[in-house]
Amino acid sequence: MDEPELLLDSNIRLWVVLPIVFITFLVGVIRHYVSILLQSDKKLTLEQVSDSQVLIRSRILRENGKYIPKQSFLMRKFYFNNQEDGFFKKTKRKVVPPSPMTDPSMLTDMMKGNVTNVLPMILIGGWINWTFSGFVTTKVPFPLTLRFKPMLQQGIELLSLDASWVSSASWYFLNVFGLRSMYSLILGQDNGADQSRIMQEQMSGAAMAMPADTNKAFKAEWEALELTDHQWALEGVEEELMSRELDLDGMFSKELPTGIF
Amino acid sequence: MASVSEMYDVTWEEMRDKLRKWREDNHRNSEQIVDVGEELINEHASKLGDDIWIIYEQVMIAALDCSRDDLAWTCLQELKRQFPGSQRVKRLAGMRLEALEKYEDASKQYDSILQDDPTNTAARKRKISILKAQGKSAEAIRELNEYLEQFVGDQEAWHELSELYINEHDYGKAAFCLEELMMTNPHNHLYCEQYAEVKYTQGGLENLELSRKYFAQALKLNNRNMRALFGLYMSASHIAASPKVNATVKKSNVKYAAWATNQINRAYQLAGRGTKENKCSVKAVEEMLESMQITMS
């Protein structure tokens, strides 16, 4: 059976659809600037900086150790991995797991995150729902099952209405996610209004870098370095070099750059 | 005196872009920067917008190099006004004190930066350069070593340390620093070549072999490195001339040296192409290489 197309009042387009877009966008921009204002400085301790650089150095040693002579490579490997006083064996960092309760700065960060992001969304979603309720706002271009009806048709009590017709609240949520790319266009990358990025960060942040990691990172590096062997990249370098003539083309060009420009 | 824009017929945008290029490539052509930058600041300050602050910084450092205290002072004042309490500006103030040889005051300035922020690498490095400027190279080496213990990844510092060690003729330690640089920049032919030179200077059969290998590596990375080519020739001929090597090693080294000679000749032929001066240089190179051959065999 062909569903009869509903004809919506054009006033809806003028007074509902567009205002919701503007409201969402402006709220996003305000959120971005508020998050900048509330941003607390992340201060790194000397030890953290130092440790991260040591880890980088060890990784470079593993990857590019083949460019230095064997003796030098072994010297450095010994420095890191020696049984008694190798760096990775000897150094134990004090580990303070930053649970939200004990670490006050983490707590305030979480609170700020919540305030700037979740709270406005809930408030404005609710306000829009209350203001623009009781009518159908728009139609999503793909068919939906009946399951979506209570979710997307908040104020509309029509059992026979196709689930593709949605209320203003769902249009609002559609906007929140859809305007993400607009934000990156206007506010530049890394903006505070990017909702989903923040949620992603929250999820991955829980799984990742906490200071307990330093000791674990050291252990992982130690293992990796133990396994690394030295394959000198320069074994046959002369033969490779002399297999053909040097490419001296264009070495002596007649024009020398003079002056500044 | 004609302004830069008149002499070269460029617009202020081109001047600004040129300054940005110099900034990104870390050029130290201070006189040019002062010429271009001073004109930009005086004539086109309003058009530059927010770019002007970083240009102030760039021009100030160049002005200190050229002993233009007046210009440096103006730049510093503008920056202090715009960014009061900034550590980056404090560092610039310290650099100005260094340029005036007021090392005590400069040192105090850097200490105050470090009190606020112990991870500030710029202030530490400036303190080390004060020691270097005062000629206290042993202390500078010690401080730089301590700095590098904390910040192992600072390549600029490793290079500086290798230079200090070379000046003290401590070639073993200089080689260590250059190894760090080679590891982090495996495609940079200049580090390979410098390392090879240090090994060559250290002397001894093993080091000569290493130096020959690294000269070859530098050439492989950049076929046009003439210094590496000459280095390859000299290290190969040295090994071949040494009495301690066996016949096969001697033969292969003679082969390397001969190949290097050919390449040098080729390069000089390419450079020459018939002009009178170059004909003399080509001849001189040939004679030099022949004389080396004679002393060898």
Side-chain angles (χ1 to χ4, degrees):
Chain A
M1 184 177 84
D2 228 8
E3 283 287 332
E5 288 296 330
L6 280 177
L7 188 61
L8 292 178
D9 195 347
S10 53
N11 276 334
I12 292 183
R13 179 190 63 209
L14 194 56
W15 295 106
V16 176
V17 173
L18 292 179
I20 291 187
V21 176
F22 281 136
I23 291 172
T24 325
F25 184 66
L26 290 173
V27 165
V29 171
I30 292 175
R31 248 203 324 218
H32 165 68
Y33 286 115
V34 166
S35 66
I36 289 186
L37 285 173
L38 292 180
Q39 214 175 45
S40 54
D41 281 325
K42 273 182 277 183
K43 281 220 166 162
L44 288 171
T45 64
L46 186 55
E47 210 177 72
Q48 280 175 321
V49 172
S50 178
D51 285 345
S52 62
Q53 292 200 353
V54 168
L55 284 172
I56 292 176
R57 182 172 176 229
S58 162
R59 192 192 70 205
I60 298 245
L61 181 65
R62 271 186 293 125
E63 288 173 7
N64 290 341
K66 58 186 196 246
Y67 293 111
I68 57 177
K70 189 170 183 114
Q71 193 60 26
S72 321
F73 175 81
L74 289 174
M75 188 162 64
R76 288 169 169 82
K77 185 170 166 180
F78 184 79
Y79 164 74
F80 277 124
N81 278 11
N82 184 25
Q83 281 298 354
E84 297 94 48
D85 58 5
F87 185 80
F88 286 143
K89 280 274 173 193
K90 201 175 45 156
T91 327
K92 298 281 177 225
R93 297 284 179 223
K94 262 210 322 248
V95 166
V96 178
S99 86
M101 299 309 130
T102 55
D103 196 355
S105 64
M106 272 276 296
L107 192 57
T108 44
D109 270 344
M110 255 173 55
M111 263 197 54
K112 282 179 207 164
N114 281 336
V115 164
T116 46
N117 291 313
V118 178
L119 208 59
M121 196 160 93
I122 295 179
L123 283 175
I124 298 195
W127 175 77
I128 287 185
N129 205 10
W130 176 79
T131 325
F132 300 110
S133 70
F135 53 86
V136 162
T137 304
T138 181
K139 179 174 192 263
V140 293
F142 43 84
L144 292 173
T145 65
L146 290 171
R147 294 273 202 116
F148 288 98
K149 272 184 82 166
M151 189 165 64
L152 297 176
Q153 291 180 352
Q154 272 280 326
I156 309 161
E157 315 291 338
L158 280 179
L159 289 173
S160 60
L161 188 54
D162 204 347
S164 302
W165 295 97
V166 298
S167 69
S168 19
S170 37
W171 172 242
Y172 169 69
F173 283 113
L174 206 68
N175 268 291
V176 166
F177 293 109
L179 284 171
R180 229 176 1 113
S181 40
M182 284 279 287
Y183 291 141
S184 8
L185 196 62
I186 298 185
L187 298 171
Q189 288 294 75
D190 244 16
N191 58 66
D194 204 341
Q195 186 86 329
S196 61
R197 192 184 60 92
I198 294 169
M199 290 199 280
Q200 269 177 19
E201 262 185 27
Q202 282 180 351
M203 281 188 278
S204 62
M208 153 185 98
M210 295 290 115
D213 249 9
T214 320
N215 282 331
K216 292 202 192 103
F218 281 176
K219 192 149 192 311
E221 270 301 323
W222 179 84
E223 282 172 17
L225 196 52
E226 275 289 305
L227 294 173
T228 328
D229 245 346
H230 182 253
Q231 303 275 6
W232 202 21
L234 267 61
E235 271 306 335
V237 65
E238 286 103 344
E239 300 304 320
E240 281 171 38
L241 180 64
M242 299 185 190
S243 59
R244 62 181 105 104
E245 301 278 314
L246 287 180
D247 176 18
L248 299 169
D249 271 336
M251 188 166 161
F252 304 102
S253 62
K254 293 294 171 190
E255 291 174 25
L256 285 173
T258 48
I260 303 179
F261 293 95
Chain B
M1 211 165 77
S3 68
V4 170
S5 61
E6 284 168 22
M7 271 206 290
Y8 294 97
D9 196 17
V10 286
T11 60
W12 68 271
E13 286 107 340
E14 290 173 5
M15 290 174 29
R16 176 199 64 194
D17 291 338
K18 198 67 167 179
L19 275 182
R20 184 192 310 138
K21 181 165 165 295
W22 285 335
R23 205 163 50 230
E24 284 164 12
D25 292 340
N26 220 356
H27 278 201
R28 202 171 171 177
N29 48 342
S30 303
E31 291 199 2
Q32 292 179 331
I33 294 181
V34 162
D35 284 335
V36 175
E38 188 173 16
E39 182 174 332
L40 263 185
I41 295 176
N42 290 338
E43 312 282 322
H44 309 283
S46 47
K47 299 180 211 147
L48 287 169
D50 271 339
D51 270 346
I52 194 162
W53 309 114
I54 196 141
I55 290 182
Y56 271 133
E57 186 185 24
Q58 188 181 7
V59 171
M60 183 186 161
I61 297 184
L64 290 177
D65 262 347
C66 300
S67 205
R68 288 281 310 269
D69 290 334
D70 52 332
L71 181 58
W73 183 243
T74 7
C75 294
L76 186 58
Q77 293 301 92
E78 292 295 320
L79 285 170
K80 265 196 198 159
R81 209 155 41 153
Q82 178 70 10
F83 303 107
S86 153
Q87 303 205 331
R88 201 160 153 180
V89 175
K90 273 197 199 165
R91 165 187 165 242
L92 289 174
M95 280 174 82
R96 186 182 151 268
L97 289 170
E98 272 184 72
L100 297 172
E101 296 202 359
K102 297 184 178 156
Y103 295 125
E104 294 287 327
D105 298 331
S107 205
K108 283 205 204 95
Q109 180 85 332
Y110 296 134
D111 282 332
S112 83
I113 298 181
L114 283 173
Q115 251 182 347
D116 285 332
D117 178 15
T119 63
N120 190 319
T121 56
R124 280 177 196 240
K125 289 198 270 192
R126 287 320 306 172
K127 287 186 71 173
I128 295 174
S129 5
I130 292 182
L131 288 173
K132 194 175 166 198
Q134 291 174 311
K136 302 178 180 164
S137 41
E139 282 185 40
I141 288 182
R142 201 180 49 227
E143 294 286 320
L144 192 46
N145 265 312
E146 276 178 31
Y147 170 81
L148 276 170
E149 257 179 69
Q150 304 278 340
F151 300 96
V152 226
D154 191 338
Q155 295 179 29
E156 192 183 62
W158 279 114
H159 206 183
E160 187 65 34
L161 186 57
S162 79
E163 213 179 279
L164 286 173
Y165 275 134
I166 290 177
N167 282 336
E168 300 289 312
H169 304 296
D170 196 344
Y171 297 114
K173 302 209 179 97
F176 183 91
C177 304
L178 285 167
E179 280 161 9
E180 291 289 323
L181 287 169
M182 280 201 300
M183 273 204 301
T184 43
N185 304 287
H187 301 293
N188 188 331
H189 63 104
L190 295 170
Y191 291 143
C192 281
E193 184 219 302
Q194 216 176 359
Y195 182 70
E197 286 174 8
V198 167
K199 283 289 168 196
Y200 184 82
T201 319
Q202 269 184 303
L205 191 56
E206 236 180 71
N207 287 330
L208 280 177
E209 294 233 346
L210 270 179
S211 89
R212 189 195 68 220
K213 284 215 175 281
Y214 279 95
F215 277 129
Q217 172 77 345
L219 271 177
K220 207 172 97 166
L221 291 170
N222 180 358
N223 271 351
R224 303 179 187 182
N225 192 334
M226 281 310 287
R227 214 166 143 139
L229 189 51
F230 272 103
L232 176 62
Y233 174 76
M234 292 190 62
S235 49
S237 33
H238 246 102
I239 298 177
S242 152
K244 294 185 239 167
V245 296
N246 59 31
T248 33
V249 174
K250 182 165 178 157
K251 212 170 77 151
S252 49
N253 275 295
V254 167
K255 190 179 74 162
Y256 299 146
W259 182 87
T261 318
N262 280 333
Q263 301 302 319
I264 295 178
N265 264 327
R266 256 187 77 218
Y268 270 90
Q269 302 287 353
L270 270 175
R273 295 200 209 264
T275 55
K276 206 169 72 147
E277 305 84 29
N278 281 103
K279 275 211 167 97
C280 300
S281 329
V282 170
K283 206 152 165 290
V285 170
E286 282 180 13
E287 284 175 15
M288 171 192 96
L289 294 173
E290 273 177 31
S291 68
M292 280 195 201
Q293 300 275 17
I294 291 175
T295 54
M296 215 171 67
S297 53

